[in-house]
Amino acid sequence: MIQDRSVGRYLFVAANYVILIATSLLCILPFVNLLAVSFSGSAAVSAGDVVFWPVDFTTKAYEFAMTGGKFLTSLWVSVQRVVLGTIVNLLLIVLTAYPLSKSSGKLAGRNWYMTFFIVTMLFNGGLIPTYLIVVKTGLIDSIWSLILPGALPVFSMIILMNFIRGLPEEIEESAIIDGASPMQILIRVLLPLLKPALATVGLFSIVGHWNSWFDGIIYMKNPANYPLQSYLQTLLMSF
């Protein structure tokens, strides 16, 4: 029986390795193919001859993207957007998720607030009304036009809210007994416990800001203010 268990354990571990390696390859190989395409000649790319190794190696694509110094300028805009956008997102997520983690008995109108946020997550005013708001608030051609319209990611806020609701209530009750205010409880007691959830929603914000390109083209009249993804998109559209 002991031998059967060891064999079963070995098969289980081996199957896990196979599944994890296969999953990792499915995630990594598309990026390897993309990198190979970027270093391949246009004829080989058009013919579909590039798989995981460059064909007719060339750096013309990178030389074209770097021409005129616009690449570095747009890269700096993207870095600013990621840093400022993530800070604003995390600040508003925490300040919204903490009170909404309370029951309706402790926070008057809590269900109404949740309904409001969920509706905004499912529906929005549309491109034209959003653009008009950005124009009227004077954010056109500003880095804040890329940050403030999506300052509070509702989905991330709900994730953090449910994480807080899953913490033992005794933690907060003991802090209240010691005379801590709600802000002190949030900063000194809860935030250290929220590091895993904050890392998760923070990663969502970083990836979202870095990959976004459409709002840069819409809200930036001066191409010098384009974030990196918007600049690269204009290069692709120019062909």
Side-chain angles (χ1 to χ4, degrees):
M1 182 177 295
I2 295 176
Q3 185 177 2
D4 292 341
R5 288 181 179 177
S6 62
V7 172
R9 177 66 180 176
Y10 174 80
L11 293 176
F12 175 75
V13 173
N16 280 341
Y17 274 109
V18 171
I19 293 173
L20 290 176
I21 291 173
T23 304
S24 300
L25 289 176
L26 288 175
C27 296
I28 295 173
L29 290 180
F31 291 98
V32 175
N33 172 258
L34 184 64
L35 186 63
V37 168
S38 69
F39 284 110
S40 299
S42 58
V45 174
S46 300
D49 295 334
V50 183
V51 184
F52 301 124
W53 194 257
V55 178
D56 298 333
F57 184 86
T58 179
T59 59
K60 289 183 178 180
Y62 292 92
E63 293 172 4
F64 180 74
M66 296 287 186
T67 301
K70 294 181 179 179
F71 180 90
L72 295 178
T73 302
S74 59
L75 176 62
W76 173 239
V77 174
S78 284
V79 171
Q80 294 180 76
R81 175 180 185 173
V82 169
V83 173
L84 293 174
T86 302
I87 292 174
V88 171
N89 288 158
L90 289 178
L91 180 63
L92 293 181
I93 287 171
V94 170
L95 293 179
T96 308
Y98 175 52
L100 290 178
S101 65
K102 308 299 180 185
S103 63
S104 55
K106 295 181 179 180
L107 177 63
R110 186 234 176 225
N111 293 336
W112 287 105
Y113 291 129
M114 282 302 305
T115 301
F116 171 79
F117 282 116
I118 291 175
V119 168
T120 62
M121 184 174 65
L122 299 176
F123 306 98
N124 60 66
L127 178 60
I128 294 177
T130 304
Y131 179 80
L132 292 176
I133 292 175
V134 172
V135 171
K136 295 298 183 182
T137 51
L139 297 178
I140 290 293
D141 252 351
S142 166
I143 188 68
W144 296 106
S145 66
L146 308 177
I147 297 173
L148 295 183
L152 176 60
V154 177
F155 180 74
S156 296
M157 183 272 291
I158 293 176
I159 291 177
L160 190 66
M161 180 194 70
N162 288 325
F163 189 91
I164 297 174
R165 289 169 70 91
L167 296 175
E169 294 183 2
E170 291 77 10
I171 296 176
E172 191 169 347
E173 291 173 355
S174 62
I176 294 174
I177 292 174
D178 290 337
S181 65
M183 189 58 67
Q184 289 175 323
I185 294 173
L186 174 61
I187 296 175
R188 303 180 63 180
V189 179
L190 292 182
L191 282 184
L193 301 175
L194 296 178
K195 289 179 181 178
L198 290 175
T200 301
V201 298
L203 182 61
F204 289 164
S205 295
I206 291 172
V207 174
H209 282 295
W210 181 261
N211 287 337
S212 183
W213 61 270
F214 184 70
D215 51 358
I217 293 178
I218 294 297
Y219 300 137
M220 296 299 180
K221 294 182 179 180
N222 186 355
N225 295 327
Y226 282 169
L228 180 60
Q229 305 304 330
S230 300
Y231 169 65
L232 294 178
Q233 182 66 22
T234 59
L235 292 183
L236 292 176
M237 294 171 60
S238 65
F239 284 102

